Amino acid sequence: MKPTAGGAAQLLAISDLHIGYPENRALVERMRPVTDDDWLLVAGDVAETVADIRWTLDTLAGRFRKVVWVPGNHELWTHPSDSVTLRGVARYEHLVELCRELGVTTPEDPYPVWEGPGGPVAVAPLFTLYDYSFLPAGCATKEEGLEYARGTGIVCNDEYLLHPDPYPSREAWCRARVAETERRLAELPGELPVIPVNHYPLDRHPTDVLWYPEFAMWCGTTLTADWHRRFRVHTMVYGHLHIPRTTWHEGVRFEEVSVGYPREWRKRPGTPGRLRRILPGEGEER
Ligand SMILES: [Fe+2]
Ligand SMILES: [Fe+2]
């Protein structure tokens, strides 16, 4: 790993904080920037309730120069434990308003440009959801995939809690988000590299190592499979899979930056809740 220049600002990332777990809340309480100018990218799954999301983003926004957030599926759940009962787009818009109040950047804002070490790079918070196109082997349609998943018992809670209102389905919401996001990314200056931040990987390859491959249906969309080639992607930052690691795909670095549940991070070596450095790049010497 290259040493960071003394005092140079860092672009850091984390996701899947799941602070409903007290152990994970404690990790957030300890999270600090390395320098006064560090940015933090938060790639979704902060918590299920608006109160917990507010606490987390408020805490982090008070410590980092800039915090960028994208929604995970857990933020979009209408969870029975939340006093906020909004569904679908209305819930998402409520969270965007909350972020505006806290000074946190969302997918609805202009893409900020990181001018620190490794820059200039546009940071593009994305919200593209999923459309069941990452089908299990041997399945040709969403219906076949879901039937298979019901057979194995691996069905994402989104089926019961993530409402697409006013869209007729989560995949319709996904298609609308993908079209709008594609339009915005295409407007970026051609020479400017971009770091997309999305809860889901833009390419399917990270799901190849899932313990339950059928879970991939809730992990992204094939509609974004060529974006890392089309949009000068420097590094693709994502979470959701709870398999933190770095992969290289067609010359592009993909970083899963998730913390995950205590039962998951306790088994891993290293410091739990460690912020992942995106720029200057770990592993760029490869
Ligand atoms: Fe998660
Ligand atoms: Fe997730």
Side-chain angles (χ1 to χ4, degrees):
M1 188 189 303
K2 286 182 210 166
T4 306
Q10 301 192 21
L11 181 61
L12 301 163
I14 199 86
S15 78
D16 298 78
L17 295 170
H18 291 291
I19 72 121
Y21 292 88
E23 301 96 319
N24 283 32
R25 181 183 283 254
L27 296 178
V28 171
E29 281 167 349
R30 290 201 292 272
M31 269 170 202
R32 293 286 189 291
V34 181
T35 79
D36 291 344
D37 294 321
D38 291 357
W39 289 16
L40 182 63
L41 315 176
V42 181
D45 277 6
V46 167
E48 292 80 25
T49 69
V50 173
D52 279 351
I53 297 164
R54 172 186 284 276
W55 175 83
T56 307
L57 294 179
D58 194 24
T59 298
L60 296 172
R63 296 174 184 170
F64 290 81
R65 173 72 62 195
K66 183 184 285 296
V67 172
V68 175
W69 166 85
V70 302
N73 51 316
H74 282 241
E75 284 97 332
L76 298 173
W77 286 358
T78 305
H79 197 275
S81 68
D82 197 353
S83 58
V84 178
T85 58
L86 295 167
R87 294 161 62 106
V89 172
R91 182 174 177 89
Y92 172 61
E93 289 177 348
H94 182 74
L95 293 171
V96 168
E97 280 308 308
L98 167 67
C99 286
R100 295 226 160 107
E101 183 193 325
L102 301 175
V104 169
T105 303
T106 78
E108 306 314 304
D109 295 314
Y111 299 148
V113 175
W114 168 260
E115 304 277 5
V121 179
V123 173
L126 312 184
F127 168 36
T128 54
L129 212 55
Y130 55 84
D131 63 359
Y132 304 86
S133 52
F134 293 176
L135 286 166
C139 295
T141 63
K142 173 192 171 184
E143 288 66 34
E144 284 180 30
L146 284 180
E147 191 181 333
Y148 176 79
R150 280 191 285 268
T152 63
I154 303 302
V155 174
C156 184
N157 279 329
D158 292 5
E159 294 299 309
Y160 316 106
L161 297 171
L162 202 169
H163 307 294
D165 323 20
Y167 290 96
S169 63
R170 283 174 289 279
E171 50 270 46
W173 193 4
C174 170
R175 283 191 289 270
R177 292 294 319 185
V178 165
E180 172 63 9
T181 305
E182 203 166 25
R183 186 190 63 73
R184 286 192 58 195
L185 286 170
E187 284 175 354
L188 281 169
E191 69 286 356
L192 189 63
V194 59
I195 293 181
V197 184
N198 195 35
H199 189 53
Y200 307 100
L202 293 180
D203 175 76
R204 183 175 180 163
H205 80 272
T207 69
D208 292 346
V209 297
L210 282 174
W211 192 257
Y212 300 104
E214 56 273 33
F215 189 74
M217 281 189 288
W218 294 277
C219 296
T221 167
T222 54
L223 294 172
T224 60
D226 64 354
W227 286 13
H228 60 284
R229 293 192 302 270
R230 282 173 56 200
F231 298 118
R232 276 182 67 91
V233 169
H234 176 286
T235 299
M236 202 271 117
V237 175
Y238 70 97
H240 184 60
L241 306 183
H242 296 196
I243 309 172
R245 61 183 180 140
T246 306
T247 55
W248 291 80
H249 177 64
E250 298 178 333
V252 176
R253 175 182 164 210
F254 281 65
E255 284 284 352
E256 169 155 1
V257 298
S258 58
V259 174
Y261 303 127
R263 65 174 182 272
E264 296 169 321
W265 55 253
R266 277 201 200 99
K267 287 188 224 157
R268 291 187 205 118
T271 311
R274 184 180 70 93
L275 302 176
R276 298 282 293 279
R277 200 174 81 206
I278 306 303
L279 285 177
E282 293 177 32
E284 277 189 334
E285 64 272 25
R286 283 187 210 198

